[in-house]
Amino acid sequence: MKSKRYFNITGFCRPEKHYMLDPLRNQSVIFDFIEKEEYFAIHAPRQTGKTTLLHELAHRLNKEGNYISVVFSVESAGYRSITEEIANKKIINSLYSSSGQYLNKNNCPIPPEKYTKDLTLENYLIDWAISQSKPIVLLLDEIDSLYDDVLVSILRQLRNGFQIRPKRFPSTVALVGLRDVREYKTKVRPSEVSLGSGSPFNIKAESILLGTWTKEEIAELYSQHTKDTGQVFSKEVVDRIYELTGGQPWLVNAVANEIVEKILKSDYTKKITLAHAEEAKENLIARRDTHLDSLLDKLKEPRVKNIVSAIINGDSLVYDNFNDDLRYVIDLGIIKDINNDIVFANEIYGEIIPRVLNFQLQKNIREQGTTSWYIKSNGKLDMDKLLKAFQEFYSENSEVWLERFDYKEAGPHLLLMAFLQRVINGGGRINREMAVGTGRTDLLIEFNGDKFVLELKLKRMPSARQKGLDQISRYLDTLGMTKGYLILFEIKPSSIIPWETRVKWEDVTHQNKNITIVEM
């Protein structure tokens, strides 16, 4: 019998239709803010449960009867060319339209077309609050979709009302969006950043970041499916899905949905295995669902590119906007800080981001990327032959290709990954280990039972070779292996170091490891 509930990957969750965790289970601070009549911010990356939390919060407050609460979006006013007057009308219309979903007619504000005063959000909220006997909790979504004068205008109106709450203005306003309040300044003119002591810009201490899920929370979510169907997500499968997703809520649901509905065709008698989790990961990456597409769209932003390039190369970051850019990309959910290591937020992002960035390169690698060229008679991968072919390919194409490439700094690494991906897609997989400041990128390639370790390093300093040997030796130790490849990319142009002298191949022994040094 088919389950009545399913793993949701579109829109907000409803308990009668979807497997879901209580979005307010760890949010006692929100109720404290409401009781204290605070203004605060909620921010989180897309599809992490913000909308579900807001709907649940508003419905719970209305049901308990001490407040009246509405969630509404200001996204309809979120474009640069809009005037303040039109923006106010659109935002008010959105508020009125949404109020009917949460409140009875007596608690709703009056229809905007019947409003006789100057139609501003401030006036509209004042008159609505005066007409009600209960305090209003206003949950204002997509606040960071607003630009320039419109954003400044809305924040100023909220600041003005802050002084006269709760009798003549909503007692609590939550500003909800992708980014923290401090990031709003990037969307307004510098002269408009400071809006005064009552400004929502000054509520940084009252800012809530919705986090990712723990293994235990993933297990709790999946146990609902088991209860409904009898089909079990074992501990080892849950652990692997946690590694793949980093607990990102949409990914956690998407992987489970892919396994249950797409791979196993809703046959609940079939056992869920680790292989299914890997297959689901590959399917999601190949299909690039809306969530992943919206994430990847952010890669075009210069602030994101600085951080992502540094992760792929292992570069250190030292520049004026480092802290702001780093926090911004963390807030977007693309990366995370683990014990001061800046890495991609989860394995799936770490896989799909390099693949997308080098997708055009992959498509332009023709016959050189044919898997069968590098397969021995016993079906094993000939890594020496593959890397020698790449040396030749790189010397012939890199200067032209990398000049046109958007991610120039990370270009050599991405070009090798593209070449490897074309070949490895024929029967293996690439595991990537990348972090800011490590000075290298580590690849573990698995193919037909064999494992190959590659360390990629830009030759910025004369010491790059020695450091690379030490680094790959330590990495091999962690894997219990003794053989690896150190790939050194020369960053000086061929006019200074010609190709006939920079392309080298050398087998060395270092710290009891057999290392092949591949230079180009």
Side-chain angles (χ1 to χ4, degrees), residues 160-400:
N160 293 342
F162 183 87
Q163 311 300 334
I164 57 174
R165 77 194 193 291
K167 298 294 185 184
R168 301 181 60 234
F169 208 74
S171 65
T172 297
V173 175
L175 303 176
V176 185
L178 287 176
R179 295 174 291 181
D180 197 357
V181 170
R182 65 177 169 268
E183 280 294 329
Y184 298 174
K185 66 178 183 284
T186 66
K187 304 192 80 176
V188 300
R189 298 186 301 275
S191 61
E192 297 285 8
V193 170
S194 179
L195 300 180
S197 61
S199 164
F201 281 100
N202 295 329
I203 62 169
K204 185 176 179 182
E206 291 94 20
S207 184
I208 300 167
L209 171 64
L210 298 187
T212 52
W213 290 343
T214 63
K215 284 183 190 177
E216 292 73 24
E217 287 172 319
I218 296 173
E220 182 185 338
L221 180 78
Y222 290 175
S223 71
Q224 296 175 24
H225 174 75
T226 302
K227 185 177 179 181
D228 282 10
T229 67
Q231 190 172 47
V232 176
F233 284 83
S234 67
K235 183 180 184 301
E236 65 173 0
V237 170
V238 170
D239 288 350
R240 181 61 186 139
I241 291 175
Y242 178 74
E243 291 173 353
L244 290 172
T245 66
Q248 203 285 337
W250 185 87
L251 288 176
V252 170
N253 276 284
V255 169
N257 181 71
E258 188 71 20
I259 293 171
V260 171
E261 296 197 9
K262 303 289 178 62
I263 297 172
L264 299 181
K265 312 292 186 188
S266 298
D267 184 346
Y268 306 133
T269 65
K270 291 184 177 178
K271 182 181 178 181
I272 295 172
T273 66
L274 287 173
H276 293 138
E278 301 298 336
E279 185 180 348
K281 176 200 77 171
E282 289 296 327
N283 292 352
L284 291 176
I285 290 172
R287 201 165 59 234
R288 279 174 58 175
D289 288 348
T290 304
H291 168 85
L292 294 173
D293 250 359
S294 62
L295 166 89
L296 299 171
D297 192 53
K298 295 291 182 184
L299 298 178
K300 301 169 187 174
E301 296 183 19
R303 302 173 73 188
V304 176
K305 187 162 68 172
N306 285 334
I307 305 295
V308 169
S309 286
I311 291 176
I312 293 172
N313 283 346
D315 288 344
S316 297
L317 285 169
V318 183
Y319 55 93
D320 290 344
N321 295 321
F322 169 65
N323 286 333
D324 283 348
D325 287 2
L326 184 64
R327 177 51 56 186
Y328 173 63
V329 185
I330 288 175
D331 283 354
L332 290 176
I334 296 172
I335 64 173
K336 62 183 176 182
D337 183 342
I338 302 180
N339 300 323
N340 295 319
D341 281 340
I342 308 301
V343 298
F344 289 122
N346 54 65
E347 276 193 36
I348 290 177
Y349 290 178
E351 276 281 309
I352 195 170
I353 287 172
R355 287 201 211 178
V356 167
L357 292 177
N358 65 26
F359 183 72
Q360 285 183 312
L361 301 176
Q362 276 191 58
K363 290 300 180 185
N364 281 288
I365 298 169
R366 302 296 182 183
E367 63 274 5
Q368 300 102 320
T370 304
T371 305
S372 59
W373 284 20
Y374 310 104
I375 304 300
K376 301 175 184 177
S377 57
N378 62 358
K380 299 292 187 177
L381 181 65
D382 190 336
M383 183 57 75
D384 283 10
K385 185 177 181 181
L386 192 161
L387 290 175
K388 286 176 180 176
F390 178 73
Q391 277 185 312
E392 181 180 346
F393 174 83
Y394 188 80
S395 63
E396 291 174 355
N397 297 286
S398 63
E399 290 184 335
V400 175

Side-chain angles (χ1 to χ4, degrees), residues 30 40-46 48-55 57 70-75 138-146 155 158 173-181 184 203 207-208 210:
I30 290 179
F40 61 97
I42 299 173
H43 69 105
R46 291 202 181 279
T48 50
K50 291 192 302 296
T51 305
T52 299
L53 181 146
L54 295 178
H55 281 263
L57 177 59
V70 172
V71 181
F72 76 106
S73 170
V74 299
E75 193 172 17
L138 198 61
L139 307 173
L140 198 153
D141 202 5
E142 304 287 355
I143 180 65
D144 50 358
S145 67
L146 303 180
L155 292 172
L158 294 175
V173 175
L175 303 176
V176 185
L178 287 176
R179 295 174 291 181
D180 197 357
V181 170
Y184 298 174
I203 62 169
S207 184
I208 300 167
L210 298 187

